[in-house]
Amino acid sequence: VGGLIADTTEIVTITGSYNEGNVTSTSGMSGGLLASSKNELTIENSYNTGAISGDTLVGGLVANTEEVVSLTSSYNEGSVTSINGMSAGLIASALKQLTIDTVHNKGTISGNTLAGGLFADTAEVVSISNSYNEGSVTSSNGKSAGLLASSKNELTIENSYNNAAISGSSLAGGLVAETLEVASISNSYNLLGVTSTNGNAGGLVGETTKVLTLSSCYNQGTISADNNAAGLVGVSNSDINYSGIYNTGSVISNNIAGGLFGTLNKNINLL
């Protein structure tokens, strides 16, 4: 179910458009503008303010995209709820490249497996610039983050922030819960609390798998986790390159707590 379009297999451009009504799917996916896009998609100067709810994939703007997406100068300010799956302020699941600039979410995000203030799950290269989240994000049984819950390919974030409470079961990050490939975050920050009830939490990133580069980034929120808790990165499984980073938030853990980093399984390198 989509506020404007339910499903499309064609190249689509959405410009200067909006939805202000509630959108609900009792057994499938829901999107404030579009539920499922199977071809190239461009969205600009568009928004949703209605409450969006569904069973599986739920996005404030789009539930699922299967090809290249460009998203600019757009936002969601309605609540987004997924009963059994992923939820995100903008796009729940993106299978191809995402290019994002000047977008935001202010709606409350609630999901089961993955929840992200902007995006829940991305499979290909993602670039996020000049964007922010100000809606609380909760994943009842999985991973949550202020911007992106799970990044499975190269990720670049710049000039972006989270200013809302983040809570996840297994993993939580102020900006990103997990990065599975090379990631770079610059001139970005988290301001409010990040909590993982059963796992790891980081003020910027919950857990990394490949090389992470941090430059001019910080956290001010309280970080709390059952296992690893850290002001910037909860668990690192690869090298971290850094410059100009700091944490001023409290860090609380039942196991391992670090002002900047929790568990480091590889090297940290000052740039």
Side-chain angles (χ1 to χ4, degrees):
V1 181
L4 300 182
I5 304 169
D7 180 81
T8 177
T9 59
E10 299 298 322
I11 296 173
V12 172
T13 298
I14 299 174
T15 304
S17 302
Y18 63 88
N19 172 65
E20 296 180 344
N22 297 339
V23 178
T24 302
S25 172
T26 57
S27 61
M29 63 180 73
S30 300
L33 300 182
L34 172 62
S36 179
S37 172
K38 296 182 176 64
N39 211 317
E40 293 180 18
L41 175 64
T42 300
I43 299 176
E44 54 189 11
N45 299 311
S46 299
Y47 67 87
N48 170 70
T49 57
I52 313 300
S53 62
D55 182 61
T56 56
L57 301 177
V58 185
L61 297 186
V62 185
N64 182 62
T65 64
E66 298 184 12
E67 289 296 337
V68 175
V69 176
S70 174
L71 178 59
T72 58
S73 302
S74 299
Y75 63 88
N76 172 67
E77 295 187 353
S79 63
V80 180
T81 304
S82 174
I83 303 302
N84 293 306
M86 306 177 192
S87 62
L90 301 181
I91 300 174
S93 175
L95 300 182
K96 296 293 184 180
Q97 182 175 336
L98 279 177
T99 303
I100 310 302
D101 191 11
T102 318
V103 301
H104 74 258
N105 171 68
K106 292 186 177 182
T108 299
I109 310 301
S110 302
N112 187 339
T113 57
L114 295 175
L118 301 184
F119 309 100
D121 186 54
T122 61
E124 292 294 337
V125 176
V126 175
S127 173
I128 300 173
S129 302
N130 308 309
S131 300
Y132 65 89
N133 173 63
E134 293 185 344
S136 63
V137 181
T138 303
S139 173
S140 57
N141 290 301
K143 304 163 186 176
S144 63
L147 301 184
L148 169 57
S150 181
S151 172
K152 294 181 172 64
N153 211 307
E154 293 182 19
L155 172 65
T156 302
I157 297 174
E158 57 185 8
N159 303 319
S160 299
Y161 70 87
N162 173 67
N163 187 22
I166 308 300
S167 178
S169 174
S170 62
L171 191 62
L175 300 183
V176 185
E178 66 176 358
T179 62
L180 301 181
E181 285 293 339
V182 174
S184 174
I185 303 175
S186 61
N187 300 307
S188 299
Y189 56 90
N190 174 64
L191 296 177
L192 290 185
V194 179
T195 302
S196 173
T197 54
N198 297 308
N200 305 315
L204 298 181
V205 180
E207 184 170 356
T208 70
T209 300
K210 297 293 180 69
V211 175
L212 171 66
T213 300
L214 299 173
S215 58
S216 301
C217 296
Y218 64 89
N219 170 67
Q220 292 184 352
T222 297
I223 311 304
S224 177
D226 182 57
N227 192 13
N228 288 273
L232 299 184
V233 181
V235 177
S236 174
N237 296 305
S238 188
D239 287 3
I240 295 178
N241 304 316
Y242 71 95
S243 66
I245 60 174
Y246 66 90
N247 170 59
T248 61
S250 299
V251 180
I252 304 166
S253 173
N254 292 328
N255 188 12
I256 297 170
L260 295 180
F261 308 111
T263 294
L264 291 171
N265 294 314
K266 293 291 184 177
N267 299 320
I268 56 172
N269 309 300
L270 176 62
L271 296 174

